[in-house]
Amino acid sequence: MADFGSESSEKKEEFFSEAQEIVDGLGKFLLDLEGAVAASRVDPDVINEMFRAVHTLKGIAGLFGATRMSGMSHELENMLDDVRMGRLDLTSNVIDLLFKAVDLYTHILLFERGEAPDPQQEIAKLLASFAAVTQPEEAPTSNIFTQFDLDPGMFGVLTEYEEHRLKSNIESGLALFRLRVRFNLTVLDTALEDLKKKAKPLGEIITYLPAPSTDESDFENLELDILMASKSDAATIDTTLSVEGLVVNPVKRRSGGGPPPKAAAAPVSKSPLPKIGAPPSLPPPTIAGPARLPQDLAPESHAAHGAKSVRPAAPAHAARTSVAPQAQGQAGQFVGKSAAQTTVRVDIRKLDRLMTILGELAIVRSAVGRLAERLRGSVEHRELGTDLHRLHRTFERQLGQMQNGILEVRMVQLGPVFDKLQRGLRAISREYSRPVNLVITGQETEIDKLIVEELSDPLMHMVRNAFDHGIEIVEDRLKVGKPEVGTIALNAFQKGNHVVIEVEDDGRGMDPKLIIASAIRKGVITEDESREMSARDAYRLVFMPGFSTKTVVTDLSGRGVGLDVVKTNIAKLGGIVDVTSEVGIGTKMTITLPVTLAIINVLIVEIGGRSFAIPLASVEEAFVYDPSLTRNVEGREVLSLRGQSLPICHLSSLFQVDAFDDASDSTRKFYVVTVAVGIRRLGLLVDRLEGQQDIVIKPLGRSLKSVHGFAGAAELGDQRVALVLDVAAIVEEVLAGDQSRFLAMAGEGRA
Amino acid sequence: MADIVRSPGRDLRRANDGGKRIEYLAFTLGSQIYAVPIQHIAEILKPPPITEIPRAPRNVVGIISVRGKLVTVVDLRRRFGLVESPFDRRTRILLTDTGDDEPIGLLVDEVRQVYRLAEHEIEPAAALGGDQPAYIFGIGRQDDALLVLLELKALIES
């Protein structure tokens, strides 16, 4: 464990969340990188970003005494440095190691939190693999630079990194250009950044140097010589960069000339090349090669300053440009600094507190509303009442906006969760040599932060399940004419107040008959029960405890659990899981989740003199109950509604509260509230409808954990607290039949 | 709470008569006086409307909201197997604060006074003979009063 000494837990928490954020970012870069390698279009900036991210990680880990993390980061940093310097090729082996490192980071963070065993051995193993791939090899570099008429003055001061970039650009067949531009010293940094940004679509700026000024008396401007590699021509570069006074000159390729023997013999990276001859269009170089400052040669300097700083190339210019390297060095030191300036990391509990206060404000608002009504009703205070009523309306509107604002802050995109899944799937796909593509849509879908945090485990199980049980081995796929590479699709989208996430595979599908047979064998159901089962019922069996076929602990989840846990975890978030499948075509699992857990719009109903809240998100409609339209089917009351059967649940008997709905009083009216969860619908019989309200839902205490059917409770104003129905659980309990009802009763007896 | 500590029933003479003393808050259920360490009681409430929880354990009366937080209320009469009695103007809810556990509301008949008990005034529970439940921690005696001392953690967790 890290020794945090006297650091406050808040600092520690900040470290964890910042580190986790960087690690997640690394994972994302890695996925990009893998795609780029596959398309052989690696953006060097991605590797640079990763390098800096690891560097930052090393820094903050060291600060917090997380030695395992800083140690691993150090090695990883070295490896990434090798990659960006071109000393190490990005083979799939190297990428694998990088993926492993990202996963290990997560493990280390869990360990530092005390939630996972010490990963020391895994780290040692990974570091050994690092060492194996980064064996220095002194491959003789064929000198391709000699193909170009390069100015040795400029060439001589290239850093190792720039040299590598130059080489790799020439190898990709890009042409070289020499640009001359003049910038005002005061805006040098921004102007350069701007130029680089504009140059990016065309190619890459390799290096820039202060050029000998044509006007010795000009101390306000600095002329720069820029070496750029591009696939475009000089005219295009000129118009795209559109900088005043820009001169673009192509660097000529030597016609058919083999490299001069002297140049070929010289090891490129060790000393400046001998003079090859300056391009005639440029003023003769006056910058001497050896003017490179000694610290520029040290690798640490690359790390701290990146390769971006303008180097004073000659003592004469050093004084004039010394501002730039410092400023740039600082900016490049920590990754994402500019991003950090526009975002604030907030503990979600603080938002919860705000939400609670807002809930109480809403209660005050109702009280003020009632007061206004009372005043308006009285003769002497009517005018006062009207004024108060108007104020109340404004208050109400602004409170609503504030509520939306806080809710918006809590919402995060599903993207990072999906990235994690992609890494996980990639790992198992390679492990089992069963190629599979994860196709993701809707990663920008937003959902409550608290829900997102609980989502990745269940989703990982589902993806893993799709891979294990869905995707066939290659031979089997080819036999039935499917593409060799399997596909698992992860789709997310918002649907009303819900977010739907689908995990769909194009695998072998599920055969209801086989599922039923397996369930009987495992004692999950009896043969009698199996007789009345539809295909739908059969699919649902895979979520029953004891059905899971996996007895092996998966390395992804670390817990050998089945889909029943997935279902329970999703249910805890107020969501449900449904399955559809077709033999030979594939399987689709659908999770339906509420968008937020914080504030919900509910329908208040009365049962046996008590108020209950039903989340409006699951309510389809409410209507007056007509007993003459109901029939008894298999011991269950069913109402025919527009040609469809709706099972009816008497909430008073489910909750065992005294109610007046025993039908003895035929003059009383009752109401049916139709709730829907996924595709399942249920009619809840209630005594009275009270109205709609926005509530802040709060969880019931631990001492009430054994009580099923309630998602929590909420204050309604006027000091009353109403229970909020857990519609998913009730639908499940009622429609799943006697078994789970029995379980609920057993739970009650136990408590 | 401050009111209780300064309640007239308290015997101030005992404040300084040597030895370590622990303060207990005494309350009644029926004719018996019980007491809990006052450091574990955060607040004494007049019962607000209580929301019943269908299908909850029998000892649970329901939930109340205390400044925006939901608190489960346990009826100590039911807990101890006594006959239930209707609320009256003396009925109170003791809000527990044991540090780790979630706060629980304990429904009691009447809150009496704070006793400062010295060690020699406390007998072990075994003095009552036989197997006493884990939540009975001992018997306190002071003047004519006989207090059944309760261990809150055991009471809440069981």
Side-chain angles (χ1 to χ4, degrees), chain A residues 284-416:
Chain A
T286 55
I287 307 163
R292 214 162 130 171
L293 296 179
Q295 60 262 39
D296 271 324
L297 293 165
E300 271 313 300
S301 164
H302 296 310
H305 298 277
K308 288 180 178 169
S309 52
V310 177
R311 284 183 308 278
H317 293 286
R320 288 166 62 179
T321 57
S322 61
V323 180
Q326 261 176 18
Q328 291 226 338
Q330 273 164 9
Q333 205 132 29
F334 289 108
V335 84
K337 206 161 186 183
S338 56
Q341 276 160 0
T342 55
T343 56
V344 182
R345 209 191 307 274
V346 180
D347 187 333
I348 192 138
R349 279 168 299 191
K350 287 188 185 160
L351 291 180
D352 282 346
R353 269 204 294 282
L354 282 182
M355 214 51 162
T356 306
I357 297 170
L358 209 58
E360 267 150 43
L361 272 179
I363 291 164
V364 174
R365 191 213 69 203
S366 316
V368 173
R370 277 195 300 275
L371 195 61
E373 285 311 308
R374 254 178 55 203
L375 285 177
R376 287 213 294 177
S378 81
V379 183
E380 39 183 332
H381 299 301
R382 171 169 300 153
E383 212 172 308
L384 206 60
T386 310
D387 284 351
L388 189 59
H389 179 73
R390 206 173 296 130
L391 263 175
H392 172 251
R393 292 288 294 274
T394 315
F395 185 33
E396 187 173 26
R397 200 169 48 244
Q398 278 162 4
L399 212 55
Q401 284 173 3
M402 190 158 154
Q403 194 175 78
N404 286 338
I406 295 182
L407 278 183
E408 224 168 83
V409 174
R410 296 173 59 100
M411 304 294 260
V412 292
Q413 296 196 348
L414 281 169

